[in-house]
């Protein structure tokens, strides 16, 4: 079964509203989670690294105030798309590394969240 | 800048054939290498991981790594229509956050019956 759960899997919202996406590690604690964005027929682009108990690290070009990341516990990270616009419509995917695997611990992906902004 | 290059395809092979997917990477510090399969509209699924030079086999899948050439490949034997998907090559990099992956753009594979 899934070891990283993402919710919601699909969301449609009106322009200007905010949307929260949750990413949970189900049977391990993840001090670090990663948030990716994927446009149709494109590869995954890392948006930010979510760090438990501290601020997220954003990739160049990603607006911190627009994509709010909170990693309040060892099993939950949230991504909030604030004041969403149609250009924010995309497939958002989180991932987490199982630390039990050591430095080569396997990385697990959530199921992804398809955001459509009208 | 850490780059991961894949032949974007699409790659089309008949059922039962061998599909060969290639990937090169720019960072010599890369230490871990992964192949993910992604079906349309779904998130990536880990197929193979490889960490040392040589071949690694798992069922119909064989990953090959050549660090000197900065090259990693994935062979799929006895290809099945269910193997039709986009295959993503991903690498880690020494000095980067543990678990941070650098992805290629993916190779779209179609296996026709």
């Amino acid at each position: 079964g899934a070891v990283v759960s993402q919710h919601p899997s699909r969301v449609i919202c009106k322009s200007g509203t905010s949307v929260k996406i949750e990413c949970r590690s189900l049977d391990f604690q993840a001090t670090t989670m990663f948030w990716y964005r994927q446009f149709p027929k494109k590869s995954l682009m890392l948006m930010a690294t979510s760090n438990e108990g501290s601020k997220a690290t954003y990739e160049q070009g990603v607006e911190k105030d627009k994509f709010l990341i909170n990693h309040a516990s060892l099993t939950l990270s949230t991504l909030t798309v604030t004041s969403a616009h149609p250009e924010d419509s995309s497939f958002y995917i989180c991932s987490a590394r199982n630390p039990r695997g050591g430095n080569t611990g396997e990385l697990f992906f959530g199921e992804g969240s398809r955001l459509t902004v009208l | 800048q850490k780059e991961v290059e894949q032949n974007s395809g699409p790659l089309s092979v008949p059922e039962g054939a061998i599909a060969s997917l290639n990937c090169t990477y720019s960072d010599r510090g890369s230490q871990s290498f992964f192949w993910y399969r992604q079906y349309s509209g779904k998130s990536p699924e880990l197929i193979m991981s490889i960490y040392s030079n040589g071949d690694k086999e798992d069922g119909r899948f064989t990953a090959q790594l050549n660090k000197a050439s900065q090259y990693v490949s994935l062979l799929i034997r006895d290809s099945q229509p269910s193997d039709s998907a986009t295959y993503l090559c991903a690498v880690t990099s020494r000095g980067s956050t543990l678990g941070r992956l650098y992805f290629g753009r993916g190779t779209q594979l179609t296996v026709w019956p």
Side-chain angles (χ1 to χ4, degrees), chain A residues 38 43 46 59 97 107 110, chain B residues 38 43 98 100-101 104-105:
Chain A
Q38 187 177 36
S43 189
L46 181 66
E59 296 297 301
R97 189 183 70 87
L107 195 68
Chain B
Q38 187 177 26
S43 66
L98 215 51
R100 198 247 198 258
L101 293 180
R105 296 184 64 178

Side-chain angles (χ1 to χ4, degrees), chain A residues 32 34 36 38 42-44 46 49 59 91 93 97 102-104 106-107 109-112 114, chain B residues 32 34 36 38 41-46 51 88 97-106 108:
Chain A
T32 304
F34 302 90
Y36 292 87
Q38 187 177 36
K42 301 293 184 182
S43 189
L44 281 75
L46 181 66
T49 302
E59 296 297 301
F91 192 47
I93 311 173
R97 189 183 70 87
N103 286 349
T104 57
E106 185 175 340
L107 195 68
F109 283 88
E111 303 94 331
R114 170 99 33 216
Chain B
S32 303
F34 306 91
Y36 286 87
Q38 187 177 26
K42 302 295 184 181
S43 66
E45 171 192 10
L46 182 66
Y51 308 104
L88 299 167
T97 301
L98 215 51
R100 198 247 198 258
L101 293 180
Y102 296 84
F103 283 90
R105 296 184 64 178
Q108 185 179 344

Side-chain angles (χ1 to χ4, degrees), chain A residues 73-111:
Chain A
S73 77
L74 287 170
T75 59
L76 174 64
S77 175
T78 61
L79 168 68
T80 301
V81 182
T82 63
S83 186
H85 288 91
E87 58 265 31
D88 298 323
S89 299
S90 189
F91 192 47
Y92 293 87
I93 311 173
C94 70
S95 69
R97 189 183 70 87
N98 187 343
R100 287 198 291 266
N103 286 349
T104 57
E106 185 175 340
L107 195 68
F108 295 96
F109 283 88
E111 303 94 331

